[in-house]
Amino acid sequence: MSDLSHRRRMLVLGICCTSLFIVSLDNTVLNVALPSMRRDLDASVAGMQWTIDAYTLVLASLLMLAGSTADRIGRRKVFLTGLALFTLGSVLCSLTPSLEWLIVFRMIQAVGGSMLNPVAMSIITNTFTEPAQRARAIGVWGAVAGISMAAGPLIGGVLVDSVGWRSIFWVNLPVGLAALLLTLRYVPESRAARARRPDPVGQLLVMTLLGTVTYAIIEAPAEGWRSPVIIGCAALALASLVGLLLYEPRRSDPLIDPRFFRSAPFSGATVIAVSAFAGLSGVLFLNTLYLQDVRGLSALDAGLYLLPMATLTFLCAPLAGRLVATRGPRLPLLIAGVTMAGSGLLFALFSAETSTPLLFVGYVLFGIGFGMVNAPITNTAVSGMPRSQAGVAAAIASTSRQTGGALGVAIAGAVLSAGLAGGAGFTAAARPAWWFITLCGVLVLVVGVATSGRWALATAERTARTLEGSGGRQPDRAPPCGDPH
């Protein structure tokens, strides 16, 4: 695809970024609609958690399968299927008669969404074969991810107040159809040089691990941490993890290639992605409920309150992409870790939600941090990897994001539910969740520093050589993370 014209490459990038935008936006736009949905569908806090986590869990569970399948049977084909399923799921969500059906339709959306993000990143990697162009394209991709995640509450607020909460799903219809037509017209088909075989056992273990952990966290406040159901979920999750660690290294084409994690920058990007997106989902979940249920704001006003966070993410995301391209990931990760942790501390120590000036300072700090963190994650995930492994590497990074998002909602919601059930006010009940969000920022900072130095870059080089020598037959690869060229 290296002979594509510059105009067509830009169109392909735009189509891929559009798919990322609607998939990422769909989850955050839902947050601001939660109070309205809870009233209309007569749902509990746990029910609202499931409307978010049913989507993120299915998405996280299927991303790697979708990435490897696209590398095998054709990326354009899988991408088109994903767009069709996601659009259909959106229409069904807008027509849902109950909470239970909404959760089912959200899962259909997620099946389609799982075919978009990792496949789109693989299309980008194989379209922009020149390393400098690829780095810039990945920077744009990271910027779009950050913008869509943070802008969701504002867009959701406008739609919920003007039309109703069902309209948040309608917006995906024209965008999805336009992306389908443009993909048919402009995106060429591509496959990996060496097809990876399916790994159904690994796929089942991943789904079991993510599902049981999230179910246990969400339902524990109601069931009790010592209940047989929760203990059984914990045991099943542990067994699934052990199974993955024992089974995957023995396969020639594993769903999760353990050798990827020999690269310190790649392993660090995975931890940072989980931490950053857990922090973001926790912040959005807590604040949209607080602003509407405690302060009594409308959905639109709640979205406007969150505008400083969205604005700073919008401004900082492209800046982070340029910093990664010129100076490597360390500086943006330092800024991200400090500002995200600082935002969490304002709420955990000083109850920032009770003071409007402090509230906005907290939003500004978190917006800066989240805007800075996305481009380093994306760039590190694919930098240094052979092009034949691009789909799987991007899928692991996307899985880490969605896993973090699911865990953030599960943990924040479980803590909040437990506190409210014990008779505490909203601020007191949410305080442990804010400490968790602070910890997420600290992890971004510490892991970012630890995995962006010379030693870490050397492990990335060794990993790339190992992967190329054992099956990555296309020698072209992006420079290791941190190389400005």
Side-chain angles (χ1 to χ4, degrees):
M1 278 194 275
S2 58
D3 59 344
L4 292 179
S5 68
H6 176 74
R7 177 177 176 271
R8 190 168 181 183
R9 286 199 298 268
M10 291 299 103
L11 282 168
V12 170
L13 177 61
I15 294 165
C16 291
C17 287
T18 298
S19 74
L20 170 67
F21 185 81
I22 59 174
V23 171
S24 300
L25 181 72
D26 193 76
N27 216 19
T28 53
V29 78
L30 185 68
N31 276 274
V32 79
L34 291 178
S36 297
M37 294 169 62
R38 186 169 64 178
R39 289 190 294 269
D40 284 359
L41 302 176
D42 193 26
S44 63
V45 172
M48 291 297 93
Q49 288 173 270
W50 279 119
T51 62
I52 296 175
D53 275 357
Y55 178 87
T56 52
L57 278 176
V58 172
L59 199 62
S61 298
L62 297 180
L63 282 167
M64 285 177 285
L65 174 63
S68 60
T69 301
D71 285 345
R72 183 171 61 254
I73 71 172
R75 292 159 183 145
R76 179 175 179 266
K77 186 183 302 179
V78 172
F79 190 72
L80 285 168
T81 303
L83 282 170
L85 273 176
F86 186 83
T87 305
L88 173 63
S90 299
V91 173
L92 292 174
C93 285
S94 71
L95 302 174
T96 184
S98 66
L99 176 68
E100 291 75 19
W101 279 111
L102 176 61
I103 292 171
V104 172
F105 296 150
R106 289 279 288 165
M107 294 170 75
I108 294 175
Q109 267 192 308
V111 173
S114 70
M115 301 180 191
L116 299 180
N117 287 7
V119 180
M121 173 52 69
S122 188
I123 290 172
I124 289 172
T125 304
N126 283 270
T127 299
F128 294 86
T129 55
E130 200 276 320
Q133 292 181 347
R134 184 188 302 165
R136 286 192 291 269
I138 291 173
V140 173
W141 172 269
V144 170
I147 293 164
S148 61
M149 291 292 287
L154 178 61
I155 297 173
V158 172
L159 291 173
V160 171
D161 270 7
S162 60
V163 185
W165 65 263
R166 294 177 188 272
S167 64
I168 64 176
F169 300 108
W170 297 346
V171 294
N172 294 329
L173 181 59
V175 177
L177 291 176
L180 268 170
L181 295 174
L182 290 170
T183 301
L184 286 168
R185 175 69 178 84
Y186 293 107
V187 177
E189 185 60 280
S190 66
R191 295 176 178 85
R194 185 181 69 88
R196 295 167 54 84
R197 291 179 295 176
D199 181 9
V201 174
Q203 182 63 55
L204 179 61
L205 290 171
V206 168
M207 294 176 69
T208 303
L209 173 61
L210 295 177
T212 51
V213 167
T214 305
Y215 182 90
I217 294 173
I218 290 177
E219 298 297 335
E223 297 281 348
W225 287 101
R226 297 182 181 180
S227 72
V229 172
I230 302 304
I231 293 174
C233 284
L236 191 55
L238 180 60
S240 300
L241 177 60
V242 173
L244 278 171
L245 294 176
L246 294 177
Y247 177 76
E248 291 296 282
R250 300 182 180 185
R251 283 186 54 85
S252 58
D253 282 328
L255 181 71
I256 304 175
D257 193 333
R259 295 174 301 174
F260 281 16
F261 296 94
R262 296 177 187 174
S263 165
F266 184 88
S267 297
T270 301
V271 174
I272 291 167
V274 171
S275 302
F277 278 73
L280 175 71
S281 61
V283 167
L284 293 178
F285 187 81
L286 293 173
N287 277 286
T288 50
L289 289 178
Y290 172 79
L291 291 172
Q292 294 181 67
D293 288 350
V294 179
R295 288 206 174 193
L297 298 179
S298 66
L300 175 57
D301 287 340
L304 290 172
Y305 262 64
L306 292 167
L307 185 58
M309 184 167 67
T311 301
L312 267 297
T313 299
F314 175 82
L315 295 174
C316 292
L319 174 60
R322 289 194 292 271
L323 286 174
V324 170
T326 57
R327 300 187 59 177
R330 175 168 281 193
L331 179 58
L333 288 176
L334 285 173
I335 296 171
V338 170
T339 51
M340 291 173 72
S343 175
L345 279 176
L346 282 179
F347 290 90
L349 285 178
F350 303 106
S351 300
E353 62 267 50
T354 62
S355 167
T356 299
L358 277 182
L359 184 75
F360 284 128
V361 171
Y363 291 165
V364 166
L365 287 175
F366 199 91
I368 293 171
F370 191 74
M372 284 288 176
V373 82
N374 233 313
I377 293 171
T378 306
N379 188 76
T380 304
V382 298
S383 289
M385 296 293 176
R387 286 169 56 198
S388 60
Q389 302 277 12
V392 181
I396 293 175
S398 296
T399 300
S400 302
R401 288 185 174 95
Q402 299 302 328
T403 301
L407 290 176
V409 171
I411 293 171
V415 168
L416 180 63
S417 295
L420 294 175
F426 191 100
T427 300
R431 185 164 290 116
W434 284 112
W435 281 113
F436 165 73
I437 290 165
T438 303
L439 175 63
C440 290
V442 171
L443 282 173
V444 170
L445 174 63
V446 173
V447 176
V449 171
T451 59
S452 58
R454 292 184 180 276
W455 164 80
L457 296 179
T459 66
E461 285 281 9
R462 288 196 298 270
T463 301
R465 288 195 296 268
T466 299
L467 292 171
E468 285 174 353
S470 62
R473 302 188 181 213
Q474 295 175 350
D476 177 62
R477 55 186 170 89
C481 178
D483 189 331
H485 307 293

